[in-house]
Amino acid sequence: MIYQKRLNVVILGMFAMFLCTSIKLNAQEFSVNTQNSSLLVYGTSNIHDWEIETENQSGVISLETANELQIKKLNFTVEVESLKSGKNGMDKNTYKALDTKNYKTIEFQLVSTEEITDLKDGNFKVKTKGDLKIAGVTKRISLDFNLNINKGTVKLVGEKSLKMTDYKVSPPTALLGTIKTGDEVTIKFNTILK
């Protein structure tokens, strides 16, 4: 009787250890590979359309794949002064509008995963909600993207349109106000995490 109880305790202990080990093996964290990732901001003005690209971004995604894909953590940070258009004057106006003296980064933090659709072969369509902080103002946004998992690499591809004035950012102007940018911008990202 005592032997049977001890055997049960040992079996239960081994089963618990197996469960914990399985969970750890199935939960993985991936970090942004800046060199292979791109984040572009597209906008308009009364003269011509424009684009600006980030040279420095960071972030992590934590995935659990035990039974079905779950996103446990997702956050991104972009250094504002790493946004480059190839035009020095435009970059300065952008940094001024985003008040880089006081706010050095743009940040996204996952709040909830609303829906994950398995498209097979490591491809998923994901709908999330998260907090986006620009120039010190945080807004809850929906962010949808395609996610691909392949050989230790996660790829996120998507886009999001938003208004600068929602974040109390005045659309930049140039040449004494003769060039005016539109309020709405579109962010397109192709993010590689390893």
Side-chain angles (χ1 to χ4, degrees):
M1 187 77 163
I2 293 171
Y3 174 77
Q4 185 64 39
K5 283 183 179 177
R6 285 183 181 166
L7 185 62
N8 287 344
V9 168
V10 169
I11 290 170
L12 281 172
M14 288 174 66
F15 182 67
M17 237 169 52
F18 171 76
L19 278 178
C20 289
T21 305
S22 296
I23 289 168
K24 284 180 183 173
L25 287 174
N26 288 318
Q28 286 185 291
E29 189 165 287
F30 302 82
S31 297
V32 169
N33 181 316
T34 301
Q35 283 187 323
N36 296 324
S37 299
S38 67
L39 188 147
L40 292 144
V41 181
Y42 294 89
T44 60
S45 76
N46 58 335
I47 304 291
H48 55 73
D49 293 348
W50 54 269
E51 69 180 65
I52 199 163
E53 183 173 10
T54 186
E55 293 182 345
N56 197 357
Q57 59 181 307
S58 59
V60 296
I61 188 169
S62 179
L63 303 176
E64 193 172 290
T65 56
N67 298 313
E68 59 184 26
L69 179 69
Q70 294 180 45
I71 300 174
K72 296 296 184 181
K73 177 168 65 170
L74 175 63
N75 60 58
F76 291 102
T77 300
V78 170
E79 287 185 21
V80 180
E81 291 192 1
S82 79
L83 292 168
K84 303 290 182 185
S85 67
K87 297 174 182 171
N88 195 38
M90 182 176 173
D91 294 348
K92 284 182 179 176
N93 286 334
T94 300
Y95 305 154
K96 183 179 175 184
L98 293 171
D99 191 9
T100 58
K101 287 182 181 177
N102 294 305
Y103 307 106
K104 304 291 183 190
T105 58
I106 294 171
E107 299 165 18
F108 175 83
Q109 183 85 40
L110 177 73
V111 173
S112 63
T113 303
E114 304 296 300
E115 185 180 342
I116 298 178
T117 304
D118 190 345
L119 304 175
K120 306 301 179 195
D121 300 323
N123 294 297
F124 302 86
K125 187 175 274 298
V126 182
K127 296 184 176 186
T128 69
K129 287 198 185 308
D131 289 337
L132 180 64
K133 185 177 182 182
I134 300 174
V137 175
T138 302
K139 295 278 186 183
R140 178 106 1 127
I141 64 165
S142 60
L143 184 66
D144 303 343
F145 51 85
N146 292 322
L147 184 150
N148 171 268
I149 305 170
N150 185 22
K151 296 177 182 175
T153 300
V154 175
K155 183 178 181 180
L156 308 180
V157 178
E159 64 178 69
K160 178 67 181 177
S161 293
L162 53 88
K163 290 185 176 179
M164 289 186 259
T165 51
D166 287 346
Y167 293 85
K168 299 183 179 173
V169 173
S170 297
T173 60
L175 296 176
L176 302 173
T178 55
I179 299 176
K180 297 177 182 177
T181 58
D183 190 11
E184 186 170 282
V185 295
T186 300
I187 300 165
K188 294 186 179 183
F189 56 91
N190 187 328
T191 307
I192 307 296
L193 303 101
K194 294 187 176 181

